[in-house]
Amino acid sequence: MPVPDLFAEGLARGWKTHDGSRLEADLTLEADIAIVGTGAGGGTSAELLSAAGFKVLLIEEGPLKTSRDFHMQEAEAYPSLYQEAIGRTSKDGAITILQGRTVGGTTVVNWTSSFRTPAATLSHWADAHGVRGHGVEDLAPWFERMERRLGIEPWPVAPNANNDVIRAGCQALGYDWAVIPRNVRGCWNLGYCGMGCPTNAKQSMLVTTVPATLENGGELLYLARAERLHFAGDRVDWLECLGMDDRCVAPNGRRIVVRARHYILAGGGINTPAVLLRSDAPDPHGRTGKRTFLHPVNFSAALFDEVINPFYGAPQSIYSDHFQWQGGVDGPIGYKLEVPPMHPAIASTLLGRFGVDNALRMEQLPHTNVLIALLRDGFHPESAEGTVLLRDDGSPTLDYRMTDYTWDGLRRAYHSMAEIQFAAGAREVLPLHNAARHARSLAEARALIDDLPLELFRTRLGSAHVMGGCAMGEDARTAVVDSLGRHHQVENLSIHDGSLFPTSIGANPQLSVYGVTARLSSLLAERLRA
């Protein structure tokens, strides 16, 4: 049975959208609330504010792609659905950063893992960063609301063999593990979530809150880059957007003026600070773009005699927080253990080497498992930390500074992953580092890991989580916005995305963004009505 195309049906009913790549002249748009970004923060805010009776305009730099465009092909998906055609990296090129750039944002391409913000993280924000109103009890009803809205619940299906490595290894070692909650309804268990869901089972903003906003009379402008906010005194007067070409590579010469009563930035932890920096927004204490965090990730591959087929089935369904909080908030850096799906293009890059060596590693892909460790950066003064900067052409980049404290965590994570993989029955383990080789026993792996020179470019590093850069807090000397997401210096400007977070959160962040921005949007609606 064909999967319905929600946008084709909605447009036939009168949904109002504007394709910035096809404008024949400059354009002026007006709304009560203009929202830059259509991902977790922007989409959630748009639905709630439009339901409250406000005319909402959603603005997206990327294209509008729907279920009929998702063919489970890496060569199609990566250039069209990801920031910088999946080429976004840290400024030095050493860390790959996966972020979405399409209507629905990263929620269209993430792997559906949905965790509430850990209690220890929320307590740390209150104690160390002066955040108010974001305690466990404050956010619980908003998390519950968004879990119901997006079908978030622990995955009820048995894990695929790739995820079962964590379960089997942790169970054999007596380590904690648990099932991951996923935002899906009627999932076909295909395993290609990172290329857009062809069945509309993933409850991304593309199939939930963005359509709801359009149904409520909102409008969508896509293939349009939010270039600059223009100010009149302590208020945003208007927003300047640039139409993009149909591949979202370069501006096409068309200019869109957006006038609204209130403006929300929800472009994520790199793009939101970039809009403020391009706009020369008030920043008396130099906080915009500072304290940006990644959950830096390293990788450990393992070969099994049995077939793993890491490209099939729900991409993430089992995790372990056993090593996350062992030293407390201020102790040695903690990390969350998960698996990534391993499709051929990403696998060939991650597994490394060239020529015959790479071909052999790819030949073994059906028997290969990879574990990842997500390091909880931002809690300790010696933690790695990033700053969002602008290139000469105004595009953003993240200057991410590694530290000995973080390298120590990466080495410990290599040890934990190898131990779990061998306990799960691995024949060989390969830490993904250009000086590593396959180890055939845990003792050999430990000696190998202890000798690895942990340096940029030699250690394979990546991240799919960008947090911070516009931190919230009541003290304007240390935060860009207050605890309600209101810009400290600009009266009619709010931020509703992961850039609000004063640190990383120690978990996949999408549900944190949903819950926090649902609360902030509802409070904003009350203020605007008043």
Side-chain angles (χ1 to χ4, degrees):
M1 182 175 180
V3 174
D5 187 313
L6 300 180
F7 273 83
E9 296 175 357
L11 291 170
R13 289 198 306 274
W15 286 0
K16 196 164 185 181
T17 64
H18 310 271
D19 182 345
S21 72
R22 303 183 69 178
L23 295 177
E24 296 181 356
D26 293 347
L27 180 66
T28 297
L29 296 171
E30 296 185 357
D32 295 322
I33 302 168
I35 302 177
V36 176
T38 59
T44 299
S45 300
E47 179 179 35
L48 292 172
L49 290 164
S50 65
F54 297 98
K55 181 181 178 183
V56 173
L57 172 66
L58 277 164
I59 301 161
E60 171 60 50
E61 180 182 16
L64 172 59
K65 301 288 186 180
T66 64
S67 54
R68 64 183 174 186
D69 301 305
F70 302 147
H71 303 131
M72 303 192 299
Q73 295 294 318
E74 291 175 278
E76 292 180 14
Y78 299 155
S80 63
L81 301 178
Y82 285 77
Q83 290 286 349
E84 301 178 36
I86 211 168
R88 176 164 278 184
T89 68
S90 54
K91 183 182 178 183
D92 54 20
I95 305 174
T96 299
I97 301 171
L98 302 182
Q99 288 183 291
R101 186 206 58 190
T102 186
V103 173
T106 302
T107 71
V108 174
V109 296
N110 69 19
W111 299 332
T112 75
S113 298
S114 304
F115 298 93
R116 295 188 181 189
T117 316
T121 299
L122 296 175
S123 296
H124 180 73
W125 289 355
D127 296 341
H129 297 281
V131 175
R132 296 178 186 169
H134 291 263
V136 171
E137 293 182 359
D138 300 309
L139 290 176
W142 300 102
F143 287 141
E144 291 169 7
R145 177 174 180 167
M146 295 311 296
E147 286 164 350
R148 288 194 302 270
R149 172 70 178 97
L150 302 174
I152 295 172
E153 59 182 18
W155 181 233
V157 177
N160 62 7
N162 199 28
N163 281 268
D164 200 49
V165 170
I166 296 183
R167 183 207 60 78
C170 285
Q171 197 157 293
L173 295 164
Y175 294 163
D176 297 330
W177 63 274
V179 175
I180 293 178
R182 305 182 65 220
N183 61 318
V184 295
R185 285 191 169 99
C187 177
W188 292 23
N189 208 18
L190 299 174
Y192 286 75
C193 301
M195 296 163 222
C197 180
T199 69
N200 288 335
K202 184 198 295 189
Q203 299 298 285
S204 71
M205 302 300 93
L206 176 68
V207 300
T208 55
T209 61
V210 174
T213 300
L214 296 173
E215 200 69 29
N216 287 332
E219 297 184 23
L220 169 66
L221 168 65
Y222 60 94
L223 284 170
R225 175 180 295 160
E227 182 69 9
R228 183 173 286 107
L229 297 164
H230 293 262
F231 300 94
D234 62 354
R235 294 179 61 84
V236 178
D237 190 31
W238 56 285
L239 168 64
E240 177 185 359
C241 298
L242 303 178
M244 303 297 290
D245 63 38
D246 60 2
R247 295 187 301 143
C248 199
V249 172
N252 62 8
R254 297 302 179 199
R255 183 168 172 265
I256 304 104
V257 172
V258 175
R259 298 190 182 277
R261 178 181 170 192
H262 197 90
Y263 298 81
I264 295 174
L265 297 182
I270 291 178
N271 289 353
T272 286
V275 173
L276 294 175
L277 292 169
R278 283 197 299 269
S279 305
D280 293 322
D283 188 20
H285 306 289
R287 302 314 304 161
T288 302
K290 302 294 175 59
R291 288 187 59 81
T292 305
F293 300 104
L294 282 180
H295 286 157
V297 165
N298 62 336
F299 310 83
S300 180
L303 279 177
F304 286 79
D305 289 327
E306 61 267 30
V307 172
I308 299 293
N309 282 344
F311 31 78
Y312 290 143
Q316 292 188 324
S317 57
I318 303 291
Y319 74 100
S320 174
D321 269 347
H322 186 84
F323 303 95
Q324 182 68 281
W325 304 100
Q326 284 186 343
V329 169
D330 296 324
I333 194 167
Y335 43 90
K336 189 182 203 77
L337 298 179
E338 298 175 343
V339 305
M342 294 293 288
H343 298 98
I346 283 184
S348 63
T349 302
L350 271 183
L351 295 177
R353 299 288 182 95
F354 301 94
V356 173
D357 284 347
N358 184 261
L360 289 173
R361 291 182 181 184
M362 290 302 295
E363 184 182 37
Q364 296 165 334
L365 183 59
H367 294 267
T368 300
N369 156 265
V370 172
L371 294 189
I372 57 175
L374 289 70
L375 272 73
R376 180 173 47 81
D377 51 341
F379 290 77
H380 191 280
E382 296 178 16
S383 170
E385 181 179 317
T387 299
V388 176
L389 305 170
L390 296 180
R391 302 184 182 98
D392 291 344
D393 65 355
S395 64
T397 187
L398 179 65
D399 187 5
Y400 190 80
R401 174 186 59 87
M402 293 291 289
T403 64
D404 290 342
Y405 172 83
T406 305
W407 286 120
D408 172 71
L410 289 164
R411 194 181 301 275
R412 287 186 290 107
Y414 274 134
H415 279 292
S416 300
M417 291 187 286
E419 182 183 26
I420 289 169
Q421 286 169 321
F422 276 118
R427 187 177 74 224
E428 300 176 4
V429 166
L430 174 68
L432 295 185
H433 183 288
N434 76 350
R437 64 183 186 279
H438 285 90
R440 291 178 170 79
S441 69
L442 181 58
E444 185 182 352
R446 291 203 183 283
L448 169 67
I449 292 165
D450 284 338
D451 287 341
L452 288 177
L454 298 189
E455 302 167 352
L456 292 176
F457 301 105
R458 304 194 73 183
T459 309
R460 283 194 175 78
L461 297 174
S463 182
H465 306 154
V466 185
M467 298 146 287
C470 293
M472 60 180 166
E474 295 305 299
D475 188 345
R477 294 169 299 178
T478 59
V480 174
V481 299
D482 68 10
S483 301
L484 295 177
R486 302 176 296 189
H487 195 283
H488 276 300
Q489 286 80 35
V490 183
E491 183 179 335
N492 61 336
L493 176 63
S494 298
I495 295 175
H496 288 188
D497 60 20
S499 68
L500 290 168
F501 301 159
T503 65
S504 73
I505 66 166
N508 307 59
Q510 72 165 335
L511 180 52
S512 291
V513 178
Y514 294 142
V516 167
T517 58
R519 177 177 180 271
L520 298 185
S521 299
S522 297
L523 295 173
L524 173 60
E526 292 176 8
R527 294 196 304 274
L528 291 177
R529 283 198 202 97

